[in-house]
Amino acid sequence: MSFTSTQLVTSRKMGIYNPFQQISMWEDTFKGDSSPNKGVSTILQVDARLDNKSEFISHESGGPSSTDQEENKPADKVQRRLAQNREAARKSRLRKKAYVQQLETSRLKLAQLEQEIHRTRKQGVYTGSVLDTSHGGFSAHVNSGIAAFEMEYAHWVEEQRKQIFELRNALQAHVSEIELNILVENGLNHYYNLFRMKADAAKADVFYLLSGVWRTSTERFFLWIGGFRPSELVNVLLPQLEPLSDQQVQGVRNLQRSSQQAEDALSQGMDKLQQSLSQGIGAQSINAGNYASQMAVAMDKLEALEGFVNQADHLRQQTMQQMSRILTTHQVARGLLALGEYFHRLRALSSLWAARPREPV
């Protein structure tokens, strides 16, 4: 049912005008009249009358006028805008503070890395000048392969520090087995990458690698064919891995025994090579006739040194892989953490020894 303009006028004359009744009339108009033009005209007429009546009621009741509401709207909008600006400024200050802290941390790490590179570079230059000789004099030439190894090793040491930090936090936070396994795999691969780097360095200059100049003085004290002894490493780590099951203890002992046997075989091979080289050079007096042939034979024997270094690193890698199979993921993580801290303490001990106070001469 729809109200017509005549009915609206009649309602007013009878004194029963109600604005809410008009609203219902709008709805009935939308529902009952399918003509869009007629609906729009009816709405406009009713809306105009309702506006006049509403304005009259507003003045009668003394309520806030539309002018006052319009004046209050800009003030509310300004307050909201100021609040948004303050929040944006606060977030911006927090971002700047975090960025400055990140820059400071990066600066400290960069300074440490530069010091490490500077130290290893000086040692590499010294080694090259001593080992690369010609006609009784010292050569200033530095092997490019060794220089690349020094840079890589400096990055390797810095990355190891980060991994120690991550492992320690992960163990303290009791992370999931999956997360811990990822850290363990990264830690093992990090050492395997070092063995690859050393193989490249041995091709460039095996004497440089065997001398251990690329390591600190305390690390050189424990050096065996360019690295650590696997069996000794098991002795260092074993107390950090307890408690172990009986089966694990037996597996670690067997691994330690087999590693010791392989170490003895490599050490005997190195001794025989040294003996053979010494006897070959010193067996006959050096003269113009046999000098060239003696040096050629000695050079052939020295080429075997690279094989010994690679076999020693292969033994180290095999020992680490076997240990990771015997132990649980959590135990391997503790072992890698203990191993990293062990080498870190050796480097720290070297720095303390170098900086020790000395008696005046």
Side-chain angles (χ1 to χ4, degrees):
M1 176 181 179
S2 62
F3 283 84
T4 63
S5 58
T6 306
Q7 289 174 318
L8 179 61
V9 174
T10 305
S11 299
R12 287 193 175 187
K13 289 181 179 180
M14 295 177 66
I16 55 173
Y17 171 76
N18 189 343
F20 298 102
Q21 186 180 11
Q22 286 189 346
I23 295 175
S24 65
M25 289 162 54
W26 295 353
E27 297 176 354
D28 293 338
T29 301
F30 277 114
K31 294 177 183 177
D33 196 345
S34 59
S35 174
N37 294 330
K38 184 178 180 181
V40 171
S41 61
T42 306
I43 292 171
L44 292 177
Q45 293 173 4
V46 174
D47 188 58
R49 294 165 182 166
L50 180 59
D51 287 343
N52 295 333
K53 185 66 178 178
S54 300
E55 183 178 358
F56 174 76
I57 294 173
S58 300
H59 288 293
E60 287 282 332
S61 60
S65 65
S66 59
T67 307
D68 295 335
Q69 292 177 353
E70 291 176 358
E71 290 177 354
N72 291 333
K73 286 181 180 179
D76 295 340
K77 189 174 182 180
V78 169
Q79 292 298 326
R80 287 197 301 272
R81 182 71 59 82
L82 291 175
Q84 291 174 356
N85 290 343
R86 285 194 296 269
E87 181 65 17
R90 186 183 68 83
K91 292 181 179 180
S92 178
R93 287 194 298 270
L94 291 176
R95 285 194 297 268
K96 288 180 181 178
K97 184 178 180 181
Y99 179 68
V100 170
Q101 291 176 347
Q102 184 180 2
L103 285 178
E104 181 64 19
T105 303
S106 301
R107 186 188 67 80
L108 292 175
K109 289 181 179 180
L110 181 60
Q112 293 175 355
L113 183 59
E114 288 177 346
Q115 291 177 358
E116 189 74 19
I117 293 174
H118 180 68
R119 181 185 64 78
T120 53
R121 184 176 294 171
K122 286 179 64 177
Q123 291 176 343
V125 172
Y126 172 77
T127 305
S129 64
V130 172
L131 296 180
D132 297 336
T133 60
S134 59
H135 304 291
F138 294 106
S139 171
H141 171 70
V142 179
N143 193 314
S144 60
I146 296 303
F149 172 76
E150 290 176 354
M151 294 288 292
E152 284 185 322
Y153 183 67
H155 286 290
W156 187 91
V157 172
E158 181 63 24
E159 182 62 27
Q160 188 189 40
R161 290 173 182 165
K162 295 179 182 178
Q163 290 190 357
I164 292 174
F165 179 77
E166 291 177 352
L167 270 175
R168 185 184 296 108
N169 288 343
L171 289 172
Q172 291 175 353
H174 304 288
V175 299
S176 66
E177 189 80 4
I178 296 177
E179 292 176 291
L180 194 61
N181 187 62
I182 293 174
L183 293 177
V184 165
E185 289 296 327
N186 290 338
L188 291 173
N189 290 330
H190 191 57
Y191 282 97
Y192 303 159
N193 189 43
L194 174 61
F195 302 146
R196 178 198 60 78
M197 290 160 47
K198 289 173 63 181
D200 294 338
K203 292 178 183 178
D205 190 345
V206 68
F207 286 106
Y208 166 84
L209 200 65
L210 287 171
S211 67
V213 179
W214 51 284
R215 289 188 178 270
T216 61
S217 56
T218 311
E219 288 176 302
R220 289 198 297 271
F221 181 70
F222 297 96
L223 201 66
W224 174 77
I225 314 183
F228 56 83
R229 283 182 177 270
S231 59
E232 278 301 315
L233 197 61
V234 174
N235 281 335
V236 172
L237 296 181
L238 199 55
Q240 310 295 328
L241 303 176
E242 296 175 349
L244 299 173
S245 65
D246 294 339
Q247 184 178 0
Q248 286 178 322
V249 171
Q250 186 63 36
V252 171
R253 293 304 180 189
N254 291 338
L255 176 62
Q256 190 176 24
R257 190 181 305 111
S258 61
S259 297
Q260 183 68 60
Q261 293 172 355
E263 290 169 17
D264 293 342
L266 285 173
S267 296
Q268 291 174 7
M270 287 284 289
D271 291 341
K272 289 181 180 179
L273 176 62
Q274 190 178 29
Q275 263 184 353
S276 175
L277 186 62
S278 177
Q279 291 172 359
I281 293 178
Q284 300 175 359
S285 59
I286 297 178
N287 53 56
N290 61 14
Y291 178 81
S293 61
Q294 283 181 321
M295 292 300 103
V297 172
M299 287 290 291
D300 290 338
K301 292 179 178 180
L302 286 178
E303 288 181 356
L305 283 175
E306 183 181 339
F308 278 102
V309 171
N310 292 335
Q311 290 181 53
D313 277 343
H314 181 70
L315 177 59
R316 296 180 185 104
Q317 181 168 338
Q318 287 294 315
T319 303
M320 296 183 72
Q321 288 176 342
Q322 290 297 326
M323 283 287 288
S324 66
R325 295 189 182 101
I326 295 172
L327 304 175
T328 65
T329 302
H330 191 271
Q331 288 172 331
V332 177
R334 286 163 49 197
L336 287 173
L337 178 60
L339 181 60
E341 290 182 338
Y342 173 71
F343 288 130
H344 176 71
R345 290 170 186 173
L346 288 179
R347 290 190 289 266
L349 183 59
S350 297
S351 300
L352 292 174
W353 175 256
R356 74 189 187 281
R358 296 175 174 83
E359 294 292 334
V361 181

